[in-house]
Amino acid sequence: MNISRRTGIFAASAAILALSLTACGSSAEPGANSSAVPSASADFSPVTIKNIYGETEITEVPETIATISWVNADTLLALDTVPAGMDTDTYGQNANNSTDWKDAALAELGASIGSEKAPKQFDIADGIDFTGIAELKPDVIFAPYSGMTQEEYEKLEKIAKVVGPIEANYTTSWQDATEAAGQMLGKQDQATALISEIEGKMAAVGDQNPVLKDSTFIAADLSSPETSYVYSTGDTRPRFLTALGMKQAPYVDENAAKDAFYFTVSPEKVNEWDADVVFASAVAGNSVDDIVKAQPLYGQIPAVKNDAVALPGTDQATLSISAASPLSIEWALEHVVPNIVKAAENAAAAK
C-alpha cells in the first residue's frame, strides 16, 4: 500500500499506523473463475464510463475482470460477479488477506479463497501489481474507487481497458462505483436496486434510532498523539454518518480547505470540536482512556467528557466505513453502528 492511500484512510503518522505489506497469492489459475462473470448478451448496449483521466467504452460484457484497490471487488461481488483477480487487503484483513464481508460473498458465489474458482489475489506490496494483472489477460481493469495516478492509468491501458477513478484520491462514492459496475456488466437495473436497498437500510437505522437525527458529529482520527485529523465533507466517513441521519458539525466546513477531504488539528485545539459525537479511528484495541493517556489534551474534546466518542474497535471495522462498499456497509450496520448509537445516547443524556 502506498503512502497516499495510507493517508487517505487514516491521515496519521506512518510510525503509529504502520501496516503490514505482506501479501499471500492465490493458487487459482488466472481466469479460472471467468464462468462467474455473465457472458455478453445480445441485448447489451455499449456504454461509455467517464473517469478523471478520460473515458472507457465497453462494447460487451467483460468475461475476465481485474480489480484494483478496496471497494471495487466488493462492488462486483455485490452484483453477483466474481472478479478474476483482485488486490489483497493489507489493512483490516483476515487470515485470507481479505475481509469477512468479501469472504461471505465469495462463498455464496462458490468462489471462496483457496477454491478452484477463487479470484487471483494481486501482491500490492510495491503498489499496483502490473505483472500479475497482465498475466491474467483481463478484458477490463475496474478501479473507479482508487488513488490511481495518470501514469499508472496509461500503463494499465496497455494491458486492457481501464475503468479509472471517477473521483481522485479514493473519494469516489460507493454509489458511483456501483453504478459504474452496473453499466459495465449490463446490470444497471440491479445496481440501481442495490443502491436503493443499501440507502434504505441506512435510513432505517436512523428512523429506528431517532437520537442519531438529533446528534451532530465530527469524523476524526486520534491514532497519533502528535496530530489529530478531521475528515471533511465528501470523505466516506462523513457520508456514512450523514446517511444515518446525523448532522456534521459546522466546525468541519468552517475549517476545511476547499476540495480537501481531511485537515489536521493540533491537540491544543481539539477543545473546539463542538459536536455531540466524535467518530474516531484509533490504534486497534485502544480505548478512549488509552487515547487520552497517550495525549492528555485529547481529554479536552467535549465528546470525550460526555463519553460520546465512538471507536470502531478493530482495523476491519475502521475499513468497513473508511472504504465503504455495498458489502461493507451492511457489515458495519451490524458491527459498528451500535457503538455510534451508544455514543449519541450518552451525548443526549449529558445535555
Side-chain angles (χ1 to χ4, degrees):
M1 182 172 58
N2 59 33
I3 296 300
S4 62
R5 177 55 182 154
R6 189 176 296 162
T7 302
I9 292 184
F10 317 104
S13 68
I16 296 296
L17 298 173
L19 306 178
S20 171
L21 296 180
T22 57
C24 177
S26 168
S27 59
E29 291 296 321
N33 70 316
S34 60
S35 61
V37 180
S39 299
S41 59
D43 59 356
F44 179 84
S45 298
V47 295
T48 298
I49 304 174
K50 295 181 179 180
N51 64 76
I52 61 174
Y53 302 126
E55 55 186 34
T56 304
E57 184 179 13
I58 307 295
T59 57
E60 60 183 5
V61 178
E63 294 187 357
T64 303
I65 305 170
T67 65
I68 289 174
S69 187
W70 292 286
V71 175
N72 301 310
D74 287 11
T75 303
L76 295 186
L77 291 169
L79 293 175
D80 304 316
T81 301
V82 180
M86 62 185 186
D87 282 354
T88 54
D89 287 277
T90 56
Y91 175 81
Q93 75 273 29
N94 57 24
N96 291 326
N97 288 316
S98 178
T99 58
D100 291 351
W101 53 86
K102 190 177 297 177
D103 284 356
L106 285 168
E108 288 183 9
L109 294 171
S112 297
I113 292 175
S115 70
E116 181 181 353
K117 293 185 178 181
K120 175 179 179 178
Q121 289 178 283
F122 301 127
D123 183 347
I124 59 171
D126 297 318
I128 295 174
D129 186 0
F130 293 98
T131 300
I133 293 172
E135 290 174 348
L136 197 64
K137 297 180 180 179
D139 300 312
V140 174
I141 299 166
F142 186 68
Y145 173 89
S146 66
M148 185 187 299
T149 66
Q150 183 161 3
E151 181 181 359
E152 291 169 335
Y153 177 81
E154 292 173 354
K155 186 173 181 179
L156 287 167
E157 279 193 308
K158 297 177 181 178
I159 299 174
K161 294 182 177 181
V162 183
V163 177
I166 296 173
E167 300 290 343
N169 298 324
Y170 301 90
T171 56
T172 300
S173 69
W174 66 267
Q175 292 98 325
D176 284 348
T178 302
E179 183 178 351
Q183 291 176 319
M184 178 182 70
L185 298 171
K187 294 184 175 184
Q188 290 96 326
D189 290 345
Q190 184 180 348
T192 299
L194 177 63
I195 292 169
S196 296
E197 178 186 358
I198 299 300
E199 289 179 338
K201 288 181 177 180
M202 298 180 80
V205 169
D207 292 338
Q208 295 160 8
N209 299 278
V211 69
L212 294 176
K213 296 185 177 182
D214 295 330
S215 301
T216 58
F217 73 85
I218 286 176
D221 184 283
L222 296 173
S223 299
S224 169
E226 288 75 31
T227 307
S228 61
Y229 298 78
V230 172
Y231 297 102
S232 53
T233 302
D235 180 76
T236 304
R237 282 145 284 219
R239 286 175 182 164
F240 182 93
L241 297 170
T242 300
L244 298 178
M246 302 179 75
K247 299 177 181 64
Q248 185 169 254
Y251 168 90
V252 179
D253 286 336
E254 290 170 0
N255 289 276
K258 183 180 179 181
D259 298 328
F261 65 93
Y262 75 92
F263 58 92
T264 61
V265 180
S266 66
E268 291 79 9
K269 293 187 176 182
V270 296
N271 62 310
E272 299 174 3
W273 290 6
D274 187 14
D276 297 319
V277 173
V278 169
F279 176 75
S281 49
V283 176
N286 274 9
S287 66
V288 175
D289 287 344
D290 293 328
I291 293 169
V292 174
K293 183 178 180 180
Q295 175 47 271
L297 289 173
Y298 288 156
Q300 299 181 61
I301 299 172
V304 169
K305 298 177 181 179
N306 294 331
D307 194 19
V309 174
L311 301 175
T314 67
D315 290 343
Q316 184 167 232
T318 296
L319 182 68
S320 70
I321 293 179
S322 64
S325 72
L327 300 181
S328 74
I329 288 173
E330 293 210 65
W331 188 93
L333 290 177
E334 178 181 354
H335 295 89
V336 183
V337 169
N339 290 343
I340 299 171
V341 173
K342 179 61 176 176
E345 291 173 342
N346 290 345
K351 290 181 178 178

